[in-house]
Structures are given as structure tokens and as C-alpha cells.
Amino acid sequence: MPEIRRADDRFRTDGDGVSTWHSFSYGAHYDPDNIGFGPLIAINTERIDAGRGYELHHHADVEIVTWVLEGALQHEDGTGHRGIIRPGTAQRLSAGTGVQHSEKNASGDVPLVFVQMMLTSDHDAEPEYAQVDVEPQPGELTPTVDVHTGAELFVVRLGAGQSVTVPAARRSLAHVTAGSVELGGTTLTSGDEARLTDGGAYDLSAAGDGGEVLVWQLQR
């Protein structure tokens, strides 16, 4: 049976125009039973007010994958990449031996909402950047950006009456980013997660008008 984690149970931090909902242990909020899932160690939903954001800060030995839900993200990092990331682009920064990056709301008028995910990394060289434009096909598992670890990220968009079968994997995590879907008779809404370990293939089906889901297929 899948382990269901509800949005309302996520730990929230707030400060200086930024609100973050954490799926895993973070800082003072330590849960030894929830420090990761396979190579996944963070799934954070970030809401950043207009004109606010994170200044340059350091990471190493992780894969950082970002998916924008609303607004525009101004990105800059130590590899020399800078630009604006909008909905439909999957971004990956492999921190490697160490990198600094900043993430700010590119707008002075509207909030920015994005999901940022971190995984343990097999990349132990200089930092590396990649981004891919993604066009999710309704009712399909649409691949996104590659990562340097035993994992694949897919986007699923389901309209009313649609469903998709997610193949078996060592571990699988479905994180709903919009709308609502059903998994094994359980309805999941935005911010909810289902985690499956050695559970075989499973179906995601639209509930009501459907929704969007980020699906991690993990080989560890």
C-alpha cells in the first residue's frame, strides 16, 4: 500500500517574503523517519513574494531540480548561467564539488511559486547546469531533465476521465502540484504525496477535472 503524506502535514517555514512547505525533515523540524526517500532528500514548495527571493548560497554533492508552477524565477549560479525560468521548463543544477546560486522572483507585481527538489548525487566533478523545455502530453508520463543519480522525473497531466499507468520501480513518489487525482481509491490534492516501495505498477486517475503530478521513479 502507498504511504500517503498530506499537504497539511508538511512543515512550513516563513521569512522575508518567502514561505516554504517541506516534505522531508528540515532544520529544527527533525523526523528520523522522514529524512529522505531513496535518493530524494527534499521536496519544497516555495512561494516568493514579488521582488523577494534567495540571495547567493552554497550547495555541494546534490542534484537540484526546479519546476515552476506560477510566475517567473530569476536564476543565477556559479557556472555562469543566469536567466528566467517559467512554467514548462525543468531545470537541474548538479552542485558537484560546490556551487553558489540565487533564486528570486523576477516580477515586481505577482508571486512566484515553484517546487524545488534535491537528491543525493553521483556527480563529484565541477558543477553542471541543464534545462529542458517540457510539453506534458495529457494522459502520458512526460520525461523531464536528466539527473546524475538513480532517478527519473516525469510530469503527468490528467484531464477529466483520463488515467495513466506508472511502471513498477524500486521506489516511486507522486507529488500533486495542481488539481486532484486518485491512486488506489485515495484522492490526492495539491501538495499531497504518495510514496510506494516495491509496489509494482500503479494507476493515477483524474479526480474531478484532473490535475498535474510530478512522478519520481527511483532505482534506489
Side-chain angles (χ1 to χ4, degrees):
M1 295 293 293
E3 175 189 2
I4 304 300
R5 297 264 178 168
R6 295 296 183 182
D8 289 346
D9 296 327
R10 301 173 85 191
F11 176 62
R12 176 174 171 173
T13 55
D14 296 280
D16 197 22
V18 178
S19 295
T20 306
W21 289 261
H22 304 266
S23 289
F24 297 99
S25 287
Y26 175 80
H29 178 69
Y30 177 67
D31 178 354
D33 296 324
N34 190 37
I35 59 173
F37 187 67
L40 270 169
I41 55 175
I43 300 178
N44 298 335
T45 301
E46 307 272 2
R47 186 190 187 280
I48 298 180
D49 291 345
R52 300 300 183 97
Y54 294 103
E55 299 294 337
L56 283 170
H57 57 284
H58 183 266
H59 289 284
D61 302 321
V62 291
E63 302 286 296
I64 306 169
V65 179
T66 304
W67 181 252
V68 175
L69 304 180
E70 302 174 24
L73 183 154
Q74 177 72 54
H75 170 86
E76 180 177 357
D77 67 57
T79 71
H81 289 89
R82 60 181 303 167
I84 296 177
I85 306 299
R86 302 181 187 276
T89 297
Q91 179 199 63
R92 183 257 294 161
L93 179 61
S94 299
T97 54
V99 69
Q100 287 193 318
H101 73 150
S102 66
E103 296 150 315
K104 299 179 181 179
N105 190 335
S107 171
D109 302 308
V110 298
L112 163 68
V113 182
F114 62 95
V115 179
Q116 187 159 89
M117 298 153 281
M118 295 188 189
L119 306 93
T120 57
S121 179
D122 296 331
H123 182 73
D124 58 1
E126 293 296 311
E128 181 183 286
Y129 180 90
Q131 68 179 57
V132 174
D133 292 331
V134 182
E135 297 183 8
Q137 300 302 306
E140 297 183 11
L141 281 167
T142 304
T144 64
V145 67
D146 292 338
V147 293
H148 294 292
T149 191
E152 294 178 281
L153 176 64
F154 300 87
V155 178
V156 173
R157 284 189 183 157
L158 298 173
Q162 291 184 325
S163 64
V164 66
T165 299
V166 180
R170 173 71 181 88
R171 302 178 197 267
S172 185
L173 184 146
H175 178 93
V176 182
T177 55
S180 57
V181 301
E182 288 190 1
L183 193 167
T186 299
T187 299
L188 305 173
T189 58
S190 184
D192 290 347
E193 287 177 6
R195 304 177 188 179
L196 299 93
T197 302
D198 293 330
Y202 63 93
D203 293 332
L204 291 171
S205 303
D209 293 331
E212 180 184 274
V213 188
L214 297 176
V215 175
W216 280 104
Q217 294 286 82
L218 309 166
Q219 285 78 57
R220 299 176 185 173

